Amino acid sequence: MDFRFSQAEEGFRQELLDFLRRELPSQWEGPVGSTEGNDWDLTLQMRGKLAQKGWLTMHWPKDYGGQQASPLLSLIFNEEMSYHRAPGRDIFGARMLGPTLMIYGSEEQKRKFLPPVAKGEVQWCQGYSEPEAGSDLASLSTRAEDMGDYFLVNGSKMWTSLAHRADWMMLLARTDPEAPKHRGISFLLVDMRSPGVEVRPIVNMAGSHEFNQVFFDNVQVPRENLVAEKDRGWYVAVTLLDFERSGIDNAASSRRLLDDLSEFLWEAQERGFHRASEGWVEDLLAERYVETEVARLIAYRVAWMQSQGLVPNKEASVSKVFGSETFQRVADTGLKILGLYGQLTWEDQWAPLHGRFQDAWRHGFSNTIAAGTSEIQRNIIASRGLGLPRG
Amino acid sequence: MDLALNETQQMLKTSARDLLSRECPYSLVRDMEEDARGYSDELWRRMVDLGWLGLAIPEKYGGAEGDFLDLAALLEEMGRALVPGPFFSTVVLGGLTILDAAGDDMKRDLLPRIARGQLLMTLAITEKGGTYESQEIEVQARREGEEYVIEGTKLFVPDAHVADFIIVAARTASGSNPKEGITLLLVPGTADGVSVTPHRTLASDKQCEVVFHGVRVPYSAVVGEIDGGWPPMERALQRAAAAKCVEMVGGAEAVLEMTVEYLKQRVQFGRPVGTFQGVQHHCANMAIDVEGSRYAAYQAAWKVSEGLPAAREVSMAKAWVSDAYLRVCSLAHQCHGAIGFTQEHDLQLYTRRARVQEQAYGDARFHRRLLAQTLRA
């Protein structure tokens, strides 16, 4: 056993940290406030720079603009980007579309769609959930009618993150309504500027516009944008979900919150915030700290398995559940410790840490829902992981 | 990075599991709860023959030159099989402390005998304060001529009733810093004035009250440095906590597997209970705790094995595993229903031990306090 990263890996971490110090605004502690609007420019700017470094898609094969980086380098990249709250990563294009097309896409599709992602020039979104199809994703009803050289799409997608910024969507739609529900679904790539696509914002309880509902009214999708065979899209989708689950972002974000909080408390103690020195505060902090470290180890384990060519099974779900729930506990603990001050938002001059804890707490509710609820993950752990019989 | 055990360690685990499944059945575990000595000569002999006692002892002292991680792999299997007896005390508490702190003469005297299974040892730390901190060490050892005379009482000393030697942490000088003035002394279990009474514990394991009354040992009984016993004691506690965590991981995994098997068999409402989502989620939570415990425990063991500073990782591991193992046991009981809390069921063997292991070498709260100190530093 060896829990250390190699020298080359540590070297990369250092290079990344230097890059972040250089390229992020000075004294950067992360975006302040809940509206991402003002930060979008910075996101695009950073994305361009990450692309220049080749880091945006570092885990891709070289042929498509990647660096064939090991999963451990990707892990370090995501860990530090999350810890530093650095904008610019591209979850949908780089982490989901890319690996999926690598497996299922035609050569033409790869050549057309992958390079712009690697260059950071295009924003993708994921058209999976619907108003009536959440955890039971396979019951989706958005229809794609086969018209020969195009598909005619009608219906609606829900909770579509960044649809309002997106150029393209990975869409799951029903092409055979008569088939059993898993067998009549196809995976399509949709130009968001197509006539008949309409995006409506959904503002979350953190006051932030991240989700959208997307409507399709007779939208034409060329046949060449069908990924894999018609009616086989479910299997493409399931693969993609496996790429989506990762615990390191939650572990690193949680750790950052705790580090911020500890630092704040030591200073606040001197200014008269006396509860900072109470024993229960120390115990709670240490308890959360242990959890973030365990979350980190579990995420390392997933990446390490991938680096060995092993396919994580229950481990990815374990990492997702534990990481997301740890993040929620950290946010909750911060608010308990901050007491009355915890409620203050960034606009208030008394707000500790720019109101980050109340913001993290409000955002945290989505962490155990998005990308497969904790309940679905636990089902996967029990059935796929432990071999318990299905109900 | 390499998060797997190496081939030797995996082979060691496989052979240990094989042997223990045959020679350490639950029936033996139960019998040893009632047994005055608490271990079987036959199983002990087998473990000696396989070289387990000398696994982590260097070749020049008659051992197999393995490292702490090798020992950890073995301890995981022993935890899984609930192996009763003085292995942990003799090897982790006794042997490794001698190896770490003693002079060469003492090592040459004791370590080969440990490796051959001829010598049982333990370590006496805790007193009436019931924790593992320097300020509570009040057992006195005062100089008289060429001897130390020991007075006082140690509690919760594992396997002292069978130990040939007890390493005793005693106060030899007093001052303002409680970490100074502690000396480790090697005391024969049969020395005049030593009286050992096993505690009655919920796991029916063999932890003992050890009373020292005018016990005389020569200067040569000092392990390491006079008045400098606390630093090696701290290292001994780190090794013990890391080793205990790994042992607990073995137990926790056994509990999870036992539960999953049961849930596949047990039928209610016309289908296996394991098909119900509520029950499945209990199992998923157990799996999450086992997974986290495994890597927290092994990270600590690896740090110890490499001789790297391990205080932070050890505290993190013990803080986590102490609570996680109990959660695993609680959910296992919930999944087993009434049968799980009967004496005839094997689950409760683990549950009772998990409660004892929780406290050994510091519970979660104790280690969180240590951690908070390292965070502040």
Side-chain angles (χ1 to χ4, degrees):
Chain A
M1 276 191 169
D2 189 346
F3 284 78
R4 278 170 298 209
F5 289 100
S6 70
Q7 254 182 348
E9 287 156 357
E10 286 301 349
F12 168 70
R13 189 191 294 274
Q14 204 47 56
E15 190 189 347
L16 174 60
L17 291 177
D18 292 342
F19 168 88
L20 291 176
R21 250 190 305 277
R22 209 167 50 239
E23 301 297 347
L24 286 170
S26 68
Q27 307 294 313
W28 175 259
E29 292 173 21
V32 170
S34 286
T35 47
E36 50 99 32
N38 301 338
D39 295 313
W40 187 246
D41 289 343
L42 182 64
T43 299
L44 293 182
Q45 199 187 327
M46 286 295 289
R47 183 171 294 172
K49 289 175 178 170
L50 291 171
Q52 269 171 19
K53 282 282 196 183
W55 291 341
L56 202 56
T57 52
M58 61 191 295
H59 54 292
W60 288 12
K62 291 192 172 129
D63 282 357
Y64 303 108
Q67 300 181 331
Q68 203 104 38
S70 86
L72 290 177
L73 282 184
S74 287
L75 174 84
I76 291 171
F77 177 69
N78 285 315
E79 183 171 38
E80 294 300 342
M81 292 292 285
S82 289
Y83 185 84
H84 290 89
R85 306 189 178 110
R89 272 178 298 175
D90 173 22
I91 291 166
F92 299 108
R95 273 208 240 174
M96 297 185 196
L97 176 80
T100 303
L101 281 193
M102 257 48 105
I103 299 174
Y104 294 102
S106 68
E107 201 48 41
E108 292 75 18
Q109 288 169 341
K110 291 183 207 174
R111 300 225 170 275
K112 176 173 178 194
F113 291 109
L114 296 183
V117 172
K119 288 181 199 144
E121 295 169 350
V122 62
Q123 178 68 53
W124 282 81
C125 65
Q126 182 190 26
Y128 273 32
S129 296
E130 295 182 1
E132 302 302 327
S135 288
D136 182 13
L137 183 60
S139 72
L140 59 88
S141 60
T142 292
R143 183 85 166 87
E145 221 176 319
D146 189 348
M147 310 298 280
D149 53 358
Y150 68 92
F151 290 92
L152 191 64
V153 178
N154 281 287
S156 167
K157 291 289 167 180
M158 190 83 168
W159 315 120
T160 318
S161 297
L162 290 181
H164 58 304
R165 303 285 188 192
D167 308 294
W168 286 85
M169 174 190 271
M170 299 165 264
L171 174 74
L172 281 187
R174 191 160 297 285
T175 34
D176 183 356
E178 308 304 321
K181 66 179 182 179
H182 294 94
R183 298 209 188 126
I185 295 171
S186 296
F187 191 99
L188 298 168
L189 307 178
V190 182
D191 186 340
M192 291 295 278
R193 279 175 291 265
S194 310
V197 175
E198 189 200 343
V199 177
R200 289 185 206 158
I202 302 173
V203 175
N204 67 17
M205 65 182 276
S208 164
H209 173 200
E210 292 160 26
F211 300 124
N212 302 276
Q213 185 166 5
V214 183
F215 296 88
F216 300 90
D217 180 17
N218 287 320
V219 175
Q220 295 188 14
V221 179
R223 188 168 203 91
E224 67 208 45
N225 290 358
L226 169 70
V227 177
E229 284 169 49
K230 194 176 83 161
D231 299 333
R232 300 286 295 170
W234 177 254
Y235 307 97
V236 181
V238 173
T239 314
L240 196 155
L241 285 177
D242 279 341
F243 296 127
E244 191 177 2
R245 286 189 267 272
S246 163
I248 194 63
D249 298 333
N250 277 308
S253 309
S254 301
R255 176 60 189 273
R256 176 59 185 269
L257 281 171
L258 279 182
D259 286 350
D260 287 349
L261 182 60
S262 301
E263 202 180 313
F264 170 80
L265 288 175
W266 297 334
E267 290 166 14
Q269 202 173 334
E270 287 160 20
R271 295 199 306 267
F273 187 69
H274 297 297
R275 75 193 307 182
S277 59
E278 289 172 21
W280 64 272
V281 170
E282 185 181 85
D283 187 61
L284 268 183
L285 271 179
E287 191 172 20
R288 295 292 91 80
Y289 175 81
V290 170
E291 284 170 6
T292 61
E293 291 291 281
V294 169
R296 188 175 59 86
L297 283 172
I298 292 176
Y300 280 13
R301 149 92 163 152
V302 173
W304 177 77
M305 284 182 80
Q306 290 165 334
S307 77
Q308 299 298 300
L310 304 167
V311 180
N313 172 350
K314 71 174 189 299
E315 291 81 6
S317 290
V318 167
S319 184
K320 202 275 181 180
V321 176
F322 190 73
S324 57
E325 294 182 358
T326 294
F327 183 86
Q328 290 181 342
R329 284 191 291 268
V330 166
D332 177 75
T333 294
L335 292 186
K336 281 193 171 71
I337 291 174
L338 292 169
L340 285 168
Y341 289 96
Q343 66 192 303
L344 301 175
T345 64
W346 67 278
E347 299 97 329
D348 193 287
Q349 59 161 332
W350 292 93
L353 297 166
H354 307 291
R356 249 182 237 296
F357 269 85
Q358 58 83 30
D359 198 45
W361 179 73
R362 292 200 275 179
H363 268 102
F365 286 90
S366 73
N367 290 26
T368 47
I369 306 292
T373 63
S374 287
E375 288 69 28
I376 292 291
Q377 305 297 346
R378 286 186 166 90
N379 290 350
I380 293 171
I381 294 166
S383 57
R384 262 210 255 166
L386 300 174
L388 285 169
R390 289 182 193 277
Chain B
M1 183 175 284
D2 180 4
L3 298 189
L5 294 169
N6 67 29
E7 216 172 303
T8 318
Q9 288 154 354
Q10 275 164 7
M11 276 168 53
L12 181 65
K13 278 192 76 176
T14 308
S15 70
R17 187 172 298 191
D18 185 48
L19 173 89
L20 294 173
S21 65
R22 276 181 287 115
E23 306 207 14
C24 184
Y26 291 127
S27 57
L28 178 73
V29 176
R30 290 167 189 279
D31 288 349
M32 289 305 109
E33 287 192 10
E34 308 298 324
D35 187 82
R37 287 195 321 158
Y39 71 104
S40 114
D41 282 326
E42 211 180 322
L43 179 58
W44 186 259
R45 197 28 61 199
R46 294 287 291 137
M47 299 197 301
V48 173
D49 290 346
L50 286 165
W52 291 2
L53 272 293
L55 179 64
I57 291 174
E59 257 174 38
K60 64 172 172 176
Y61 301 118
E65 192 90 28
D67 60 22
F68 191 77
L69 212 46
D70 299 338
L71 182 62
L74 181 59
L75 283 167
E76 186 191 332
E77 291 304 317
M78 295 178 82
R80 180 188 179 89
L82 303 173
V83 174
F87 182 91
F88 192 99
S89 315
T90 299
V91 172
V92 180
L93 301 179
L96 293 183
T97 304
I98 294 296
L99 183 64
D100 177 14
D104 201 53
D105 286 350
M106 195 180 273
K107 289 183 192 172
R108 283 185 194 288
D109 177 30
L110 300 179
L111 295 176
R113 288 196 277 158
I114 289 177
R116 289 197 298 271
Q118 294 164 343
L119 193 71
L120 304 183
M121 288 193 71
T122 189
L123 182 63
I125 314 158
T126 311
E127 301 183 14
K128 63 180 186 299
T131 76
Y132 297 88
E133 286 163 299
S134 57
Q135 61 265 27
E136 83 156 41
I137 292 185
E138 291 175 2
V139 165
Q140 297 286 328
R142 65 170 199 283
R143 286 184 191 209
E144 236 176 60
E146 299 291 295
E147 292 178 320
Y148 278 107
V149 182
I150 309 170
E151 253 343 296
T153 300
K154 292 285 185 182
L155 300 176
F156 307 104
V157 186
D159 305 308
H161 66 306
V162 292
D164 299 297
F165 286 106
I166 304 170
I167 301 170
V168 181
R171 198 154 285 287
T172 41
S174 53
S176 56
N177 185 350
K179 294 183 177 184
E180 290 167 7
I182 291 169
T183 303
L184 306 184
L185 295 167
L186 187 70
V187 180
T190 53
D192 282 347
V194 175
S195 58
V196 178
T197 314
H199 292 296
R200 305 299 296 263
T201 72
L202 81 93
S204 298
D205 58 348
K206 302 295 184 274
Q207 301 175 59
C208 306
E209 175 205 70
V210 184
V211 179
F212 301 88
H213 186 52
V215 177
R216 291 173 177 273
V217 292
Y219 270 16
S220 59
V222 173
V223 181
E225 289 173 30
I226 294 170
D227 295 340
W230 188 249
M233 180 56 79
E234 269 186 329
R235 294 195 295 274
L237 285 170
Q238 284 178 11
R239 283 190 296 268
K244 191 53 73 178
C245 285
V246 172
E247 196 184 89
M248 293 163 84
V249 166
E253 195 168 77
V255 167
L256 172 59
E257 286 172 17
M258 177 188 286
T259 305
V260 167
E261 277 319 299
Y262 177 73
L263 294 172
K264 288 180 186 169
Q265 310 302 328
R266 169 76 172 170
V267 173
Q268 289 287 279
F269 305 103
R271 54 181 170 132
V273 174
T275 59
F276 291 99
Q277 196 175 44
V279 171
Q280 288 193 348
H281 286 191
H282 286 335
C283 292
N285 287 333
M286 293 164 74
I288 292 168
D289 269 336
V290 171
E291 182 88 356
S293 295
R294 171 171 297 282
Y295 291 94
Y298 271 101
Q299 179 177 246
W302 170 77
K303 282 259 171 174
V304 168
S305 194
E306 293 288 306
L308 298 165
R312 190 175 149 277
E313 285 74 16
V314 167
S315 283
M316 191 185 104
K318 192 61 175 55
W320 179 255
V321 178
S322 295
D323 287 349
Y325 189 12
L326 280 173
R327 285 195 295 270
V328 167
C329 289
S330 297
L331 289 174
H333 278 282
Q334 199 57 32
C335 290
H336 274 83
I339 193 70
F341 58 74
T342 60
Q343 194 168 41
E344 70 182 69
H345 199 280
D346 298 325
L347 174 59
Q348 54 86 17
L349 297 174
Y350 288 92
T351 312
R352 285 186 292 123
R353 279 163 186 74
R355 199 83 239 185
V356 169
Q357 289 164 320
E358 175 204 19
Q359 297 297 328
Y361 317 114
D363 63 0
R365 218 166 261 271
F366 175 85
H367 281 285
R368 287 200 294 264
R369 210 178 65 231
L370 292 183
L371 253 182
Q373 287 163 10
T374 71
L375 292 182
R376 196 161 297 206

